[in-house]
Amino acid sequence: MTGAPTGALGAQVFDKCALFTVHSAAPVTLCLFDGATERQVPMREVSELWVADVPGVGAGQRYGYRTAADPAKLLVDPYAVELDRPFRYDPALAEPGAETGHLVPRAIVPAAPSSAPADLPPPLFTPGGLIYELNVRGFTMLHPDVPEAQRGTLAALAHPAVIAHLQQLRISAIELMPIVAWIDERHLPPLGLTNAWGYNPVVPMALDPRLAPGGVDELRATVAALRAAGIGVILDLVFNHSGESDVHGPTLSMRGLDERLYYAHATDGTLINDTGTGNTLDCARPAVRALILDSLRHFARAGVDGFRFDLATVLARGPGFDPAAPIFAEIAADPLLASRVMIAEPWDIGPGGYQLGHFPGDWLEWNDRYRDDVRRFWRGDGEAGALARRMTGSSDLFAGKHSRSVNFIAAHDGFTLADTVSYEHRHNLANGEGNRDGHGDNHSWNGGSEGPSDDPAVLARRNADVRALLATLFASRGTIMLAAGDEFGRTQRGNNNAYAQDNPIGWVDWTGRDRALEAFVAQLADLRHAARLDVTSFLAAADWRRLDDEPMTSDDWHDAIGFEFRLPADDDLAVIRVDRGHRRVTLAKARLLESRP
C-alpha cells in the first residue's frame, strides 16, 4: 500500500501491510522490534504527517518512533492503544542524547478494529444515581475472595463477590480512577514510593499493563460483566497534562514529537503550568482536541457509560476558560459520544481556573461546595442555610430546572470519610514531603482525640458523625458519589494525599470493615431508591420547620442547629429532619431511618 494516510493516526493493519501515521515537527524513523532487535524504517512526510507502510507487519508487532530532534529517545505513539510493559522512571529519560530504547515501553500494533455500531446502547447510569469512585489496584489488593493473581486488575472488578457488594449498595456506576499507562513523578523513586493513583499519564489510550494485562479486551469484558449486573462504568481521564512534566521531565512521547503543538507555552516560550504538574495540554489546538476525541471514542466502543475529566477547566482554555469552547460542541455532535455521561472536575490552578457551574448544561460537575458546606455544618461552624441549599440541589450554583451537581463528602483526593471525623490535621509524613503536601484545610474534626482511639465516647461520637454525613448525602438531590470503602469505615491513617501509597495505607481493607455501618449504608441506598430521592429536579416547594416544629423564618437560618423540611404530598418521603445537636438525620414516611445507631 502506498500514498497518503487514510486520515487516522496511529497504527492500522491492512491485508498485506501495516500503516503508521504520526505527527512530528522533525523527521521520524519508525522502529520495529523483534525481541531486542530493532529495525528502523524511515518515514515520509505526507500532508504535514509522517507515514510509513510496511509490508508483512501485522497485529502484535512492537513499535516506537525516533525523531531527528534527538534520535537517542525512543518515543511512544500518542495513539498507541496497548503497551508491552509499564513505564518506569529513570533519569536517562530526561537527559538529552541519552539512549532510552531499553527503558521505554513499545506500543503494540492492534488488530483491525471491528465495526462499531453507529449508536451505542444507552448508559446504565443516569443523573441522580449513585457513583462509586474506586482505585482499580487498591480496591481489590486485599480482597479475600478475589484470586490472588487477579487482585489489583480490571478483571477483579467482575468477580462475583465484588459485584455482589456493589449491588448491595445499589451502585449505579463505578468511576474508575485513571487506568491508562502512567509514569512515576521523578521525586518518587528516590523515596521508595510509586504513583498509586495514575494521574500522571503518558499517552491517553493505552491501558496500564499492571491494571489490564489483557489490554482493552479485559476492559471490554469487565464492562460487560458489570453491565449485565446493572452497573455502569465511568472512566476518570486526564487530558490536562502528561507525565512528561516540566522542562526537566522525561521525553517519552509528545515532547519528543512536537512539544510546541501538544503543550501550552507562554509568550516567552516557557511551559504554562495551569495544572501544577509542569505542563498543560493545549486544547485550543485542533490536533490536541482530535486526540482527545479519538481517545473518548476508543473507550466508548469498549462500552463505558461516560467520562470524568480531571482538571476539566483545561479542556476549555484558550488560554482563558471559554464556556463555549469548541470541544464541548465537538463532543455533543459526535454520534458515539453524544449519549455518554460527561462529568467535569470544574477547576484547575490557572488564572480563573475555578469554574463550578459553568460547564455545558448536559454535563455533571463535581461540587466541592457541597462537600465543604456539609462538613462544616456537622463540624459545628457551618450554617444550616448553606446545608439546605446543598441538600436541595445547589440551585444557587446551577442554572435551569435540574441540578448538575455531583454531591460528595469524600473522594480520592483528601481525607476518607472515617478520617474526616477522626483527624483535624493531615498526617502525610509517609509521602516524604515533610507533611507539606495535600490540603491543609479539610473542614475536618477529630471527635475529641486525634487519630485512632479506644475511648467509647470518642468512638460513639465518630460513629454518629459518619452516619449523619452519609444520611445527609443520600437525602440530597442530584447525583451522589461515594468513595470506595467509606461505606464501611475505611481509613488512610490520616493521610489526605495517598497518591504515592501503593500499600495498605492506600488499599481497601476488606477484612476489617465495619459491617454495621455497611448495612446502614445499604439501608440508605434502599430508602433513597424507594422514596424516589434519586432525582435531579430542584426542590420547588417544601414546608421548612425549625426543630421545635415552628415554621422557619429567614431570621432563623443563621443560628439554627438543624431544620426539618416536609416535601410535597406526592413525594413518597414526607419528612427529612437534620439535628446537629443530637448528631442525627431522620428520614421518615416511606420508611423511618435514623442516622444514629
Side-chain angles (χ1 to χ4, degrees):
M1 174 181 177
T2 59
T6 63
L9 279 79
Q12 302 173 78
V13 173
F14 297 92
D15 289 341
K16 297 181 180 179
C17 75
L19 175 67
F20 299 85
T21 308
V22 66
H23 178 93
S24 175
V28 187
T29 298
L30 170 67
C31 306
L32 302 174
F33 293 91
D34 181 8
T37 302
E38 176 180 344
R39 175 164 69 105
Q40 296 191 348
V41 179
M43 302 182 77
R44 65 187 184 281
E45 189 174 14
V46 179
S47 302
E48 300 182 351
L49 298 172
W50 294 87
V51 302
D53 42 297
V54 187
V57 170
Q61 172 70 56
R62 272 62 172 167
Y63 75 100
Y65 298 120
R66 298 180 188 268
T67 75
D70 188 346
K73 291 289 178 280
L74 183 68
L75 305 174
V76 178
D77 186 352
Y79 275 76
V81 296
E82 188 174 357
L83 302 178
D84 69 347
R85 70 196 78 174
F87 285 96
R88 303 288 186 192
Y89 185 82
D90 187 283
L93 296 169
E95 182 182 343
E99 174 59 41
T100 62
H102 59 298
L103 299 171
V104 175
R106 289 89 162 97
I108 301 175
V109 174
S114 58
S115 57
D119 55 341
L120 298 167
L124 290 176
F125 175 82
T126 56
L130 171 56
I131 296 173
Y132 188 76
E133 186 198 32
L134 63 86
N135 176 287
V136 171
R137 179 169 168 81
F139 188 60
T140 59
M141 285 299 291
L142 299 177
H143 200 300
D145 297 325
V146 175
E148 188 171 352
Q150 198 179 60
R151 293 175 189 172
T153 68
L154 281 172
L157 302 180
H159 190 278
V162 172
I163 288 179
H165 180 75
L166 299 174
Q167 289 178 316
Q168 170 189 277
L169 300 177
R170 292 187 178 271
I171 301 300
S172 305
I174 59 174
E175 182 175 298
L176 308 184
M177 290 166 62
I179 59 174
V180 301
W182 71 86
I183 190 167
D184 292 332
E185 292 84 352
R186 63 179 177 268
H187 72 279
L188 291 180
L191 297 173
L193 299 173
T194 60
N195 186 313
W197 283 359
Y199 289 97
N200 204 37
V202 178
V203 293
M205 294 186 223
L207 302 180
D208 195 289
R210 293 167 291 189
L211 303 185
V216 72
D217 288 340
E218 183 170 337
L219 172 63
R220 190 175 292 110
T222 300
V223 168
L226 288 162
R227 189 175 183 87
I231 302 165
V233 175
I234 296 168
L235 299 186
D236 189 343
L237 298 177
V238 181
F239 293 126
N240 56 76
H241 79 282
S242 93
E244 292 182 307
S245 188
D246 58 20
V247 67
H248 303 294
T251 295
L252 302 165
S253 178
M254 291 181 274
R255 164 167 287 148
L257 291 166
D258 193 345
E259 182 181 85
R260 283 283 181 176
L261 171 76
Y262 288 107
Y263 301 137
H265 288 73
T267 54
D268 63 359
T270 58
L271 288 164
I272 291 175
N273 189 18
D274 289 333
T275 62
T277 62
N279 65 55
T280 303
L281 287 183
D282 192 351
C283 296
R285 293 184 178 273
V288 175
R289 295 200 306 275
L291 176 59
I292 293 171
L293 290 166
D294 285 337
S295 300
L296 296 178
R297 294 185 193 105
H298 171 68
F299 289 121
R301 292 187 184 99
V304 303
D305 284 38
F307 309 96
R308 181 262 189 189
F309 298 93
D310 183 64
L311 301 184
T313 301
V314 169
L315 293 175
R317 279 194 176 277
F321 177 82
D322 181 2
I327 196 165
F328 298 137
E330 290 165 352
I331 289 173
D334 189 277
L336 284 179
L337 303 178
S339 63
R340 301 301 94 185
V341 178
M342 303 291 165
I343 304 174
E345 182 184 44
W347 52 76
D348 64 29
I349 68 167
Y354 190 75
Q355 293 293 332
L356 177 63
H358 297 150
F359 279 74
D362 55 351
W363 283 48
L364 299 177
E365 300 183 34
W366 272 31
N367 187 353
D368 63 328
R369 291 277 298 278
Y370 178 96
R371 176 199 62 200
D372 294 349
D373 286 341
V374 172
R375 286 188 182 187
R376 290 187 62 215
F377 175 83
W378 287 108
R379 185 172 67 173
D381 62 327
E383 294 187 3
L387 178 67
R389 284 191 293 274
R390 301 299 156 244
M391 292 185 70
T392 55
S394 296
S395 59
D396 58 324
L397 302 176
F398 301 102
K401 298 180 179 179
H402 292 269
S403 176
R404 297 190 292 106
S405 177
V406 176
N407 301 320
F408 65 100
I409 303 168
H412 70 272
D413 189 9
F415 280 137
T416 67
L417 181 57
D419 288 354
T420 298
V421 304
S422 304
Y423 295 87
E424 187 175 354
H425 307 288
R426 63 193 174 194
H427 293 261
N428 296 355
L429 286 175
N431 296 349
E433 298 182 45
N435 206 39
R436 295 183 301 273
D437 61 303
H439 296 297
D441 186 5
N442 297 275
H443 307 295
S444 60
W445 59 101
N446 61 29
S449 176
E450 185 80 357
S453 175
D454 55 8
D455 184 328
V458 171
L459 295 177
R461 167 66 181 257
R462 291 175 178 176
N463 188 26
D465 287 348
V466 164
R467 287 171 177 248
L469 286 162
L470 286 165
T472 301
L473 178 67
F474 277 77
S476 298
R477 296 205 164 205
T479 300
I480 64 174
M481 186 180 78
L482 187 67
D486 279 354
E487 70 274 19
F488 48 67
R490 173 177 171 254
T491 178
Q492 291 180 165
R493 307 174 196 171
N495 193 319
N496 75 349
N497 188 33
Y499 79 102
Q501 300 301 321
D502 186 15
N503 54 49
I505 293 176
W507 298 345
V508 174
D509 179 8
W510 288 91
T511 58
R513 65 200 208 247
D514 183 338
R515 299 276 187 170
L517 181 60
E518 185 177 334
F520 173 71
V521 176
Q523 285 182 286
L524 286 174
D526 288 343
L527 182 55
R528 181 175 173 85
H529 175 74
R532 298 185 298 177
L533 288 174
D534 50 350
V535 295
T536 61
S537 58
F538 294 121
L539 186 59
D543 179 13
W544 294 92
R545 297 271 172 168
R546 301 187 322 207
L547 294 179
D548 62 3
D549 202 36
E550 291 296 317
M552 183 76 81
T553 68
S554 58
D555 294 334
D556 293 326
W557 285 105
H558 181 73
D559 297 322
I561 62 169
F563 51 81
E564 180 177 288
F565 59 102
R566 302 177 181 182
L567 303 176
D570 59 348
D571 278 81
D572 290 335
L573 185 75
V575 178
I576 298 176
R577 182 180 177 86
V578 175
D579 183 350
R580 186 169 66 201
H582 292 89
R583 321 304 293 176
R584 175 186 294 141
V585 175
T586 306
L587 314 177
K589 185 184 175 182
R591 195 183 314 168
L592 178 64
L593 183 64
E594 289 195 1
S595 63
R596 288 190 68 93

